[in-house]
Amino acid sequence: MTMSHAEFHSGPDLDDDAFLQGLGYKPQLSRKMSRFGNFAISFSVISILSGCMTLYGFGMNTGGPSVMLWGWVAVGAMVMAVGAALAEVTSAYPTSGALFDMANRLGGPRWGYTTGWLNLLGLLGGIAGIDYGAAGFTSAFASLQWDYTPTPGKTMVIFAGILVLHAVLNLFGVRLVSVLNSISVWWHVLGVAVIAAALAMVPDQHQSTHFVFTTFVNNTGWGSHWYVAGIGLLLAQYTFCGYDASAHLSEETTQAQISAPRGIMHAIGWSWAAGFVLLAALTYAIQDYSGTLGTATGVPPAQIFLDALGVTGAKILLLIVIAAQLFCGNAEVAACSRMVFAFSRNGALPGSRWWVRVSARTGTPTAAVALSVVVGGLLALPALWSTVAYGAVTAINIIGITPAYAVPIYLRLRAGDRFTPGPWNLGRFSKPIGWIAVVWVALVTVLFCLPQTKPASGLLSVQTFNYAPVALAAALLLAMICWYAFARRTFQTPVVAGDRSDTFADEVV
């Protein structure tokens, strides 16, 4: 294993494909994504119109307005630190493998392999969570528009249709994906502006600023306000997830050593600002707090829209949110498929020779796209029988990706001067920002694993148990089984592409 790649490093003007070959990989994917497109994919995956909307009811119960607003500010600052530290390592190693490739180079095969499984399972869980959430919001809209009664079976059919749509869009190639992500950026920015303006101007009544920024609500059953405030931070942390997409698309991005790290930072920064505006607008517009929580729609933001704007206004804003979720899901499929491709390129997955196949016409890893949507669909199947089981499965998204962010950052810190930074780096601030990032990720990983609701009986039940630690243990167990079954023999540390004797890099269809 060689950590230094100084012989391949000559700054941001270095030919992208030559640099990639210097890192040990043969260029296969179509490099047509601009710097803005790279930013757009992470911004689309973060998707404040998806995360904030989906988890707003959780925030209303767990800390209320004050924790949602101030928690957003605090978590956003910490995530900027994590993103900056990750961006620095991305600049040094701009590959589709992203987190696992960084960990592999800096810590060795076992670090890389374990990180890869956490990242991959997190991305697959993200597809399930995002697209099934979009299906749920679509069902809510249909119930307002037509004589339609949502059921788990109907929602699953809509979910399957969304998965097929995202597979088809991704198979057309990275240029279309990039265009859709660019549209997504403006859709999110203008969507937040429209929602905020409508909720500010139309309702006759608004909550006071004192209410929005100081009201604490605890409907969790737990007595400690500090505990509840800590759990309440998860609304923001759940939303700030997926910005590693810029790294996963770096092999398809021009000037990747600069564009990918900037994409990460700009995506977090703009999401931080726009998300605060969205949360504030929703909270000011609450007409009936308890009524919003008990809404028959099952979606508290939808009830805020109904109370503040009426049925027609609510439908319009729901359509804005649904479209944003569809953009988000499409970007997630793109990021996940590149992770499948890259992990298979290193021989980490069963059937790796299939999943590295790239279309000669579009330069897209077609088999990886198909695998991503199929597995994402399978992960959501438990929702047909139990929302609790579905929540346990989709917890893989957060509990997998969040710790995976910290691994390459920690290994970079451990490497010290042996790490050769890329053209985008933190300079003398690298170590303090890196340690802030690692400590923060460790803290929120613990928070993810704590019980979020205390039952009246005082005993945890199937309905109140937090399945996140179970999801984490299952992911690590699966990784260990696959490692000893085959991956310890097939998982490859990259060598110079032209010298590889046993490679999957020539699989083109």
Side-chain angles (χ1 to χ4, degrees):
M1 180 186 67
T2 301
M3 277 184 288
S4 175
H5 55 280
E7 63 269 33
F8 305 121
H9 195 297
S10 62
D13 294 328
L14 177 69
D15 178 77
D16 288 301
D17 288 345
F19 185 77
L20 183 62
Q21 285 185 303
L23 290 176
Y25 291 124
K26 178 180 178 179
Q28 289 178 270
L29 304 176
S30 178
R31 197 179 290 274
K32 297 179 180 179
M33 182 171 282
S34 66
R35 182 172 295 179
F36 182 83
N38 186 275
F39 145 74
I41 192 165
S42 282
F43 186 79
S44 297
V45 173
I46 292 174
S47 185
I48 54 174
L49 284 174
S50 179
C52 290
M53 290 293 183
T54 303
L55 294 163
Y56 191 80
F58 169 85
M60 291 182 72
N61 278 314
T62 316
S66 62
V67 172
M68 283 194 286
L69 270 298
W70 293 115
W72 184 267
V73 173
V75 171
M78 292 296 100
V79 172
M80 285 292 284
V82 178
L86 187 63
E88 181 177 56
V89 189
T90 299
S91 182
Y93 308 119
T95 70
S96 295
L99 308 180
F100 96 82
D101 188 61
M102 301 171 196
N104 188 30
R105 294 174 187 278
L106 294 169
R110 292 200 180 193
W111 278 102
Y113 186 75
T114 303
T115 303
W117 267 105
L118 289 173
N119 193 191
L120 177 58
L121 291 176
L123 289 167
L124 291 168
I127 293 175
I130 294 164
D131 280 1
Y132 193 83
F137 269 74
T138 302
S139 291
F141 173 83
S143 68
L144 292 177
Q145 181 65 28
W146 301 290
D147 183 18
Y148 175 90
T149 303
T151 66
K154 292 177 181 177
T155 302
M156 189 62 66
V157 171
I158 296 172
F159 169 65
I162 292 172
L163 285 175
V164 171
L165 171 65
H166 287 157
V168 171
L169 291 174
N170 272 271
L171 291 176
F172 275 106
V174 73
R175 187 182 295 275
L176 177 60
V177 171
S178 183
V179 169
L180 290 174
N181 288 331
S182 297
I183 296 172
S184 172
V185 170
W186 298 111
W187 186 273
H188 276 80
V189 172
L190 294 176
V192 169
V194 169
I195 291 171
L199 294 179
M201 294 187 295
V202 175
D204 293 329
Q205 285 186 308
H206 290 89
Q207 298 291 343
S208 67
T209 298
H210 183 269
F211 171 88
V212 171
F213 289 97
T214 66
T215 301
F216 183 87
V217 177
N218 178 10
N219 292 329
T220 66
W222 297 107
S224 170
H225 284 6
W226 286 107
Y227 182 90
V228 174
I231 297 299
L233 297 179
L234 298 184
L235 178 150
Q237 188 63 47
Y238 278 136
T239 305
F240 281 116
C241 189
Y243 44 86
D244 57 311
S246 288
H248 288 297
L249 273 291
S250 59
E251 289 184 32
E252 294 156 270
T253 302
T254 57
Q255 292 190 310
Q257 288 181 274
I258 292 292
S259 299
R262 285 185 177 176
I264 291 171
M265 296 305 296
H266 290 175
I268 297 171
W270 282 104
S271 297
W272 190 16
F276 182 83
V277 172
L278 178 63
L279 289 173
L282 285 169
T283 309
Y284 272 109
I286 294 173
Q287 305 296 304
D288 177 1
Y289 202 93
S290 59
T292 299
L293 277 174
T295 176
T297 68
V299 180
Q303 190 62 47
I304 293 174
F305 295 161
L306 282 168
D307 292 343
L309 309 174
V311 175
T312 301
K315 291 177 184 176
I316 293 172
L317 297 194
L318 276 176
L319 284 175
I320 292 174
V321 174
I322 291 167
Q325 292 173 333
L326 293 177
F327 281 124
C328 176
N330 191 62
E332 181 77 2
V333 169
C336 184
S337 63
R338 273 53 175 188
M339 175 60 194
V340 170
F341 164 80
F343 213 29
S344 298
R345 181 173 58 183
N346 282 67
L349 295 179
S352 287
R353 288 190 177 274
W354 288 95
W355 316 128
V356 295
R357 294 189 172 191
V358 176
S359 168
R361 182 176 61 85
T362 64
T364 298
T366 52
V369 169
L371 180 66
S372 298
V373 296
V374 168
V375 176
L378 293 175
L379 287 177
L381 280 180
L384 282 171
W385 302 280
S386 168
T387 56
V388 174
Y390 168 68
V393 172
T394 55
I396 294 175
N397 173 227
I398 305 303
I399 204 64
I401 285 183
T402 303
Y405 287 158
V407 175
I409 299 171
Y410 165 73
L411 293 174
R412 179 262 175 274
L413 292 168
R414 191 180 73 168
D417 294 338
R418 293 176 294 161
F419 172 76
T420 303
W424 195 103
N425 60 79
L426 298 171
R428 67 180 185 275
F429 298 106
S430 179
K431 289 185 178 179
I433 291 177
W435 282 115
I436 289 171
V438 170
V439 171
W440 174 253
V441 170
L443 173 63
V444 296
T445 300
V446 173
L447 288 177
F448 282 139
C449 296
L450 296 175
Q452 297 170 1
T453 303
K454 183 179 181 181
S457 64
L459 298 174
L460 292 177
S461 67
V462 172
Q463 299 297 323
T464 59
F465 183 72
N466 185 348
Y467 289 88
V470 177
L472 177 60
L476 294 175
L477 177 62
L478 181 59
M480 184 178 69
I481 291 172
C482 289
W483 174 262
Y484 284 105
F486 66 90
R488 59 179 173 171
R489 297 183 298 275
T490 61
F491 187 65
Q492 305 176 61
T493 299
V495 295
V496 177
D499 296 335
R500 297 181 74 172
S501 60
D502 181 20
T503 180
F504 303 129
D506 294 322
E507 299 285 346
V508 180
V509 294

